[in-house]
Amino acid sequence: MSDAPSERAPPPTWIQNGSCHHPLMESDAEYLINNSIEFTEMFKAVILFIISILIIMTNICFIFSINIVTYRRWIPSTTRYLLTSFSSSQLVTGMLITIWGVYPTLTECWPYGELVCQLQAVLRGSLRQQTAFSLVLIALERYTTQVDMDMAKTIFSRPLTVFYIIITWLASIFIYSFIVFHPHGYYLSISSFSVCEPYYRSLRMLVLTSCIFYFPTTMLLMYCYGTIYQSQRLKMKNRKALFSALPSLIGSTMANRPIRLSQEEDNKESLIRSLSAISLTFIIVVTPWSILQVITSVTMEQPPPSVDFSVNLLFSSFSFLSPKYLEPISFLVNFLLPTEICMMKIYIFVENLQVE
């Protein structure tokens, strides 16, 4: 039995033309007249434009909110640095990736040149990876703070946190620069959003990068926040046991009162709920995308355009949904999104876990 081929066909080379203007035509306007825009292309372009505006506005508001004086006391400085890095990657996605794909989505051509396509492909892959790195660092920082405060102050000090952020950004950009600037290392994806993507010549590399992006991230996020919630429940049980076992010392009236947390502990609980909701949303929206990547690499066939569009739309929605989950500053971005969005149920689900 012969082995399955590990190399993929090279991407289309027409992108090297770098222009939507056909050399035999007099103007781009004539090109657009002779190539009418279909309804599906118009629909995709409108959706991409709306998503881009939402990503830019919500993340600008989010970065501004977490760095104003009012909420600096509510969010620890190291967590604030990591959240700023996380939101910056989403903001760059909206400003340099999705918004640039509106016109190519309408015309199925790339007018910005080959170098811009290469740079966008590098950003497309590196920003996805940087989002995963940021979420893992946030989860580890909260986990060490919950388990061992002294260790957290040592491992996640301010200088080291800034160092982690710089290293993860450089690593993400270096990895995808190596992939994209290899011959035939990029292509214009026209089946979903017309943006430039990294192109993996090796099927093994495609599967490897997808699995590294998905499995370690999801396992670390679930372990860290699961351990944090379990630790919080044990603390509450110990407090209840202490209050019920010592009524003679604290008084029967006080023992029967519901246990209330201090303002600092209540802020910490709220921060954990918000961060875990962001991580859970990431796992939900990235799972279909990762599965599609693996299926595509195994079958060596492109998915139907409708499926590819839906999966990428779901994945892109994370960039503007995540700022809504951070209390109490979410009111500054809630006016940008309808409160009846179905994915907000994720927040209610995570909040109910704490109540139970």
Side-chain angles (χ1 to χ4, degrees), residues 155-226:
I155 298 178
F156 284 95
S157 61
R158 292 184 183 183
L160 282 179
T161 301
V162 174
F163 175 75
Y164 299 150
I165 293 172
I166 294 174
I167 288 298
T168 53
W169 273 94
L170 292 177
S172 300
I173 294 174
F174 174 78
I175 291 172
Y176 282 92
S177 296
F178 176 77
I179 295 173
V180 170
F181 288 102
H182 187 274
H184 302 296
Y186 64 99
Y187 73 108
L188 178 66
S189 174
I190 59 175
S191 60
S192 57
F193 298 142
S194 293
V195 296
C196 293
E197 298 270 3
Y199 188 83
Y200 307 93
R201 289 293 302 274
S202 172
L203 294 175
R204 296 186 182 93
M205 181 175 291
L206 174 60
V207 175
L208 180 62
T209 53
S210 300
C211 291
I212 290 177
F213 170 74
Y214 178 73
F215 289 107
T217 304
T218 54
M219 287 189 294
L220 283 171
L221 292 178
M222 289 188 291
Y223 173 78
C224 289
Y225 288 111

